[in-house]
Amino acid sequence: MTLSEAYQQHVLPTYGRFPLVAVRGEGCRLWDEAGRCYLDFCTGIAVCSLGHCHPRLVEAIREQAGTLIHVSNLYQIPQQAALAREINEHHVQLPGKVFFSNSGAEANDGLIKAARRFGHRHPQADGTARYEVITFRQSFHGRTLGAMAATGQAKIQEGFDPLLPGFRYLPFNDVSALAAAVRPETAAVLLEPIQGEGGVNVATPEFLHAIAALCQAHDLLLFFDEVQTGFGRCGETMAWRSIAPAIEPDGISWAKGMGGGVPIGAFWLSDRAIDGTGCPLSSLLGAGSHGSTYGGNPLVCAASLAVLHEIRSHDLAANARHQEARIRDIISSWQLPVITEVRGRGLLLGVALDPARIAAPEGKTPALVIVTRLMEAGLLVPPAGPDTLRLLPPLNVTDREVDEALALLHGVLATY
Ligand SMILES: *Cc1c(COP(=O)(O)O)cnc(C)c1O
């Protein structure tokens, strides 16, 4: 049985997969079964932040796997406490507390649960709980029932209704739509500071400040989904700091790049007082209120700790800014008519394409046409929406690797 036959017979067909079979990775490169080498600017969709098989990460996983892989959250886990401390002190840099999940969607579900607890504690005027979370069009928050309902894209929700109630989607970057949006039942606002899957759309500083002011005025929680953008990816510790650094969110969710490839997610709640008695927001999820069997086990926490140490000690956020500037300079020097815009921050960059110049067969977007041609040329990138390419190299990518990838990109795009 061939691999694609095994897929057809045994794996649910939820993904349209490319025929590529990667068998080995090192740094920025992947090799397929035939020994062909690819430059990987997809990195498992912003997951392998140190590239493939970084020696520090491999060693941390090896050592922990040989010592203790898993114990229950019924017991204390030193690697989990150390990781939470690393996150609080060096990455969030605001007083708060962390819960470890296994994915980004689960992390967002945790934030949604926190919003509901908050809405019980701070109810509407008539005493009924608040529960609604405002999110935005073109957002992506994940595939669980909660995160899918939070996601402002009909194609993600198609055929899965009735959805979890309590979400309303506003236009992204539209300050004027915010003012009238709050209802008595509204409890929180959740957004990606830079929408990743939705096309690499950067929130404006005015928009983030307007949301923060709205939350303040109406006693709403402000949550950032930093699942794709956090931990150096966008050139700062967190993406919101690359846009509006003075804002202090109430909650943050993460996954993807924090584990460098091991499945780990997390959410954070602020220690700020939510009433006159000094009760901190982070106390609303007390013992028995939330849990995860695997969440924050010794293996994934040791791995994530190695990743976050490496990002911090080598200031990989600074490399993300450095490479962003180079990529923008080089691409704009090409003056190619097919490229309409470069959006994003750091090493989450969207190269917007002019769809009118790209003939796409039925059922294939212009971005997918280009992604396929780039793969044939030896460069892996994912799309973001129908006509944007996403560049997501590892945070430690070198000048030479960027130059090589851009030469491949130019080779393909210059023909349109
Ligand atoms: C990928 C992503 C998610 C979902 O993460 P999973 O680990 O796939 O559940 C949520 N939010 C954003 C912004 C993402 O990019």
Side-chain angles (χ1 to χ4, degrees):
M1 187 186 288
T2 66
L3 181 55
S4 73
E5 283 164 358
Y7 260 104
Q8 263 172 32
Q9 284 192 34
H10 299 294
V11 182
L12 278 177
T14 58
Y15 281 95
R17 291 174 196 266
F18 293 101
L20 175 75
V21 183
V23 293
R24 188 166 70 83
E26 190 182 319
C28 214
R29 288 170 207 279
L30 272 181
W31 284 266
D32 72 9
E33 292 173 307
R36 172 142 199 233
C37 179
Y38 297 84
L39 257 182
D40 187 5
F41 273 42
C42 174
T43 56
I45 312 193
V47 165
C48 305
S49 29
L50 305 181
H52 295 286
C53 298
H54 188 280
R56 289 260 160 69
L57 175 58
V58 171
E59 195 42 44
I61 293 171
R62 266 207 186 108
E63 195 180 316
Q64 192 59 50
T67 312
L68 180 65
I69 293 176
H70 178 83
V71 286
S72 168
N73 278 306
L74 294 171
Y75 311 112
Q76 304 199 20
I77 301 171
Q79 296 80 5
Q80 185 181 109
L83 178 59
R85 183 177 176 187
E86 165 77 19
I87 290 170
N88 280 326
E89 293 184 351
H90 299 292
H91 301 270
V92 179
Q93 300 164 0
L94 294 168
K97 295 184 175 54
V98 183
F99 176 93
F100 291 101
S101 64
N102 311 287
S103 69
E106 276 178 77
N108 284 325
D109 280 0
L111 289 180
I112 294 162
K113 285 178 74 172
R116 294 211 170 172
R117 277 263 157 134
F118 177 72
H120 278 262
R121 185 65 73 93
H122 288 203
Q124 305 177 35
D126 67 2
T128 58
R130 293 190 288 158
Y131 57 89
E132 185 184 66
V133 180
I134 290 176
T135 64
F136 295 89
R137 294 188 196 143
Q138 300 309 126
S139 60
F140 183 75
H141 298 297
R143 303 287 195 154
T144 58
L145 286 166
M148 171 179 71
T151 293
Q153 297 190 53
K155 69 165 198 240
I156 304 281
Q157 301 167 335
E158 195 189 318
F160 294 120
D161 54 297
L163 299 179
L164 180 73
F167 296 93
R168 206 145 37 82
Y169 320 107
L170 299 186
F172 193 68
N173 269 341
D174 184 345
V175 172
S176 67
L178 291 174
V182 179
R183 295 180 181 165
E185 64 269 28
T186 310
V189 179
L190 166 69
L191 78 158
E192 304 154 81
I194 301 174
Q195 293 184 332
E197 303 301 311
V200 191
N201 308 313
V202 183
T204 62
E206 299 74 42
F207 187 56
L208 289 192
H209 284 295
I211 290 173
L214 188 81
C215 289
Q216 183 113 48
H218 295 274
D219 190 27
L220 312 177
L221 299 179
L222 171 55
F223 293 156
F224 287 137
D225 178 339
E226 293 259 6
V227 168
Q228 187 161 157
T229 54
F231 298 111
R233 171 59 57 186
C234 296
E236 297 288 340
T237 51
M238 296 296 148
W240 97 78
R241 290 208 170 99
S242 74
I243 302 167
I247 291 179
E248 297 193 355
D250 296 307
I252 314 169
S253 54
W254 301 289
K256 293 199 166 90
M258 73 180 286
V262 300
I264 182 171
F267 69 95
W268 174 95
L269 291 176
S270 169
D271 281 341
R272 86 165 165 88
I274 51 166
D275 59 28
T277 71
C279 168
L281 175 64
S282 56
S283 70
L284 291 187
L285 292 179
S289 64
H290 197 47
S292 167
T293 299
Y294 294 133
N297 84 11
L299 183 71
V300 295
C301 287
S304 179
L305 200 51
V307 171
L308 298 193
H309 268 159
E310 191 70 14
I311 289 173
R312 176 160 64 90
S313 60
H314 292 262
D315 198 359
L316 297 184
N319 188 53
R321 295 195 298 274
H322 165 73
Q323 300 300 351
E324 174 191 359
R326 297 185 67 249
I327 291 169
R328 285 182 178 277
D329 280 353
I330 294 168
I331 290 182
S332 80
S333 77
W334 296 341
Q335 306 227 340
L336 287 181
V338 73
I339 298 178
T340 56
E341 190 184 13
V342 176
R343 293 188 296 267
R345 287 276 195 287
L347 290 173
L348 167 52
L349 293 175
V351 178
L353 306 170
D354 178 358
R357 302 185 79 95
I358 302 165
E362 179 80 25
K364 225 174 169 188
T365 63
L368 265 179
V369 170
I370 303 297
V371 161
T372 306
R373 282 206 53 196
L374 287 170
M375 180 178 297
E376 287 157 9
L379 175 64
L380 305 182
V381 296
D387 34 56
T388 301
L389 303 174
R390 222 172 340 165
L391 303 182
L392 292 167
L395 302 182
N396 54 7
V397 68
T398 64
D399 289 10
R400 259 189 66 194
E401 289 158 344
V402 164
D403 291 349
E404 205 181 314
L406 290 179
L408 295 172
L409 186 64
H410 184 266
V412 167
L413 291 183
T415 64
Y416 288 87

